[in-house]
Amino acid sequence: MAVALLAACDSGDPGSQATSVSASPITVEVNQSRDQYGKKAILIQLTNTTDTPLTVTGARLDSSLFAEGISWQPSEGGLELPPRQPKSIPADLPAAACGTPHDAFANIEAKLTYSAPGKDPAEENTDASDPFGVLTRNAGELCLAAEAAAVATLALDPGLEVAADGRTAVVRLVITPATPGNGRQSLTIESIDETTLLAQSSTAPWPVNFTLGTVKQELQLTIRPARCDPHAVAEDKVGTLLPLRIKVGERQGLLKIAASPELRGRIYDFVTAACAPGG
């Protein structure tokens, strides 16, 4: 549930009723679409709880999970919120604050600048809600990625080797140590998750508990279509993000390796051909 912005109205009368505290006109909630997830961005959902249109000209979220605020500014004018309706605005995520343990229930403070028709702009601060744990999840993944990058670079080779029968293909995960030699943390790929678009072959399963060495390595991953419905490729958002479950030092979590635009196009072509009747 979205958390309402509260504005205290002190009437100065010690005997005033509870109506002296009224809810502000906008509620704030954090969300994230599959498309935003792939772009390391979130959605800030604003809901106008009044019967009057409101215009928002600025929104910022502050959380101990991130080194800086998460900000949105309109390119021009402002965002009109119709009465009793929500609207979502995208905001890029800054670098995560990785020096301290992440609190799953970290407070999120929202700052909004808005105006009602015929009135001067108002600025308010309040808590925002994150019912799906979007910020905690993203901060954890960003910190894991930063620690992994200090050990090695993991990337998908842009080439794709399609089998003669067109049913499977091989994509290569290239692992390049960042600082060859001693003194670095260990990094283990504990397992690799399938995606909404790609699955492993039963005859060539993906590796598990693979510990990185001190020299450049390649993992050959045999892939097949995970689904062949007509919307598999057309509606894909995250199917070419390869999810690695890794452990770096004492940190464990999910690290997603994105396919380059070139490889993504080749994977889409492969899935389309492999799913074609008689293909």
Side-chain angles (χ1 to χ4, degrees), residues 161-170 198-201 222-226 228 270-279:
E161 182 182 336
V162 180
D165 63 4
R167 298 297 186 182
T168 62
V170 172
L198 304 176
Q200 60 186 319
S201 168
T222 301
I223 61 174
R224 63 175 178 82
C228 279
F270 158 69
V271 171
T272 300
C275 288

Side-chain angles (χ1 to χ4, degrees), residues 85-248:
Q85 291 186 28
K87 278 192 176 181
S88 293
I89 51 179
D92 293 334
L93 289 171
C98 302
T100 58
H102 286 168
D103 182 357
F105 302 100
N107 289 335
I108 308 167
E109 183 178 283
K111 175 181 286 187
L112 296 178
T113 304
Y114 68 93
S115 61
K119 296 185 179 181
D120 292 334
E123 189 174 273
E124 293 193 15
N125 297 319
T126 190
D127 291 338
S129 66
D130 185 4
F132 306 108
V134 168
L135 294 189
T136 300
R137 181 178 67 250
N138 280 266
E141 291 184 8
L142 288 171
C143 290
L144 183 71
E147 290 196 19
V151 178
T153 298
L154 293 88
L156 294 173
D157 187 276
L160 186 70
E161 182 182 336
V162 180
D165 63 4
R167 298 297 186 182
T168 62
V170 172
V171 64
R172 291 176 172 80
L173 177 64
V174 182
I175 305 165
T176 307
T179 53
N182 297 324
R184 64 187 181 92
Q185 292 191 88
S186 64
L187 193 159
T188 299
I189 300 175
E190 297 180 318
S191 62
I192 303 174
D193 288 356
E194 296 180 340
T195 75
T196 55
L197 192 66
L198 304 176
Q200 60 186 319
S201 168
S202 58
T203 59
W206 296 339
V208 295
N209 296 323
F210 177 84
T211 300
L212 276 59
T214 58
V215 297
K216 185 175 181 178
Q217 298 167 283
E218 283 189 2
L219 291 181
Q220 296 190 15
L221 308 176
T222 301
I223 61 174
R224 63 175 178 82
R227 47 186 285 210
C228 279
D229 59 274
H231 306 292
V233 170
E235 298 180 359
D236 178 65
K237 302 295 184 184
V238 296
T240 58
L241 294 175
L242 188 66
L244 308 181
R245 295 200 175 272
I246 69 171
K247 181 177 182 180
V248 186

Side-chain angles (χ1 to χ4, degrees), residues 35-59:
D35 189 40
Q36 294 300 319
Y37 178 73
K39 296 176 180 178
K40 294 182 174 60
I42 63 167
L43 295 172
I44 303 173
Q45 182 175 292
L46 307 175
T47 302
N48 179 359
T49 65
T50 75
D51 296 321
T52 303
L54 299 174
T55 300
V56 178
T57 54

